[in-house]
Amino acid sequence: MSITAINVRNQFRGKVKEIIEGPVVSEIDVETPSGLVVTSVITTRSVKELGLKPGRDVVALVKSTEVSIATL
C-alpha cells in the first residue's frame, strides 16, 4: 500500500527512535532530521502490523482540531 494523497498537512518525516511497548497501547518516539521528537500513542497491535522498530523510516501525521498554548 502506498499513500498517493492525504489531507493531513502537518507531516514529519523521521526515524523511530524508541518504542515503549505496553500490553494494549505503545508510545512511539519519532525523531526528525532536525532533532525534533514527535511522540505518538498507538495500539500495540498497530505497532506489530506496521512492523515498527527503532531506526525505521516513518512519517508522523498530525491532525488536530485544537492546539493549546501556555505561557511560561
Side-chain angles (χ1 to χ4, degrees), residues 4-70:
T4 57
I6 192 163
N7 70 335
V8 178
R9 298 293 178 233
N10 300 309
Q11 301 179 21
F12 301 93
R13 291 183 181 272
K15 291 187 182 290
V16 175
K17 180 178 180 179
E18 182 180 13
I19 298 173
I20 301 172
E21 194 170 304
V24 178
V25 295
S26 297
E27 290 182 41
I28 312 301
D29 286 344
V30 176
E31 186 170 17
T32 67
S34 66
L36 173 73
V37 176
V38 178
T39 302
S40 177
V41 176
I42 65 174
T43 64
T44 300
R45 180 179 180 177
S46 290
V47 172
K48 294 178 184 348
E49 288 178 355
L50 291 169
L52 297 180
K53 305 239 181 284
R56 174 121 192 225
D57 289 320
V58 294
V59 178
L61 306 168
V62 180
K63 185 166 184 171
S64 176
T65 57
E66 177 182 335
V67 176
S68 299
I69 304 292

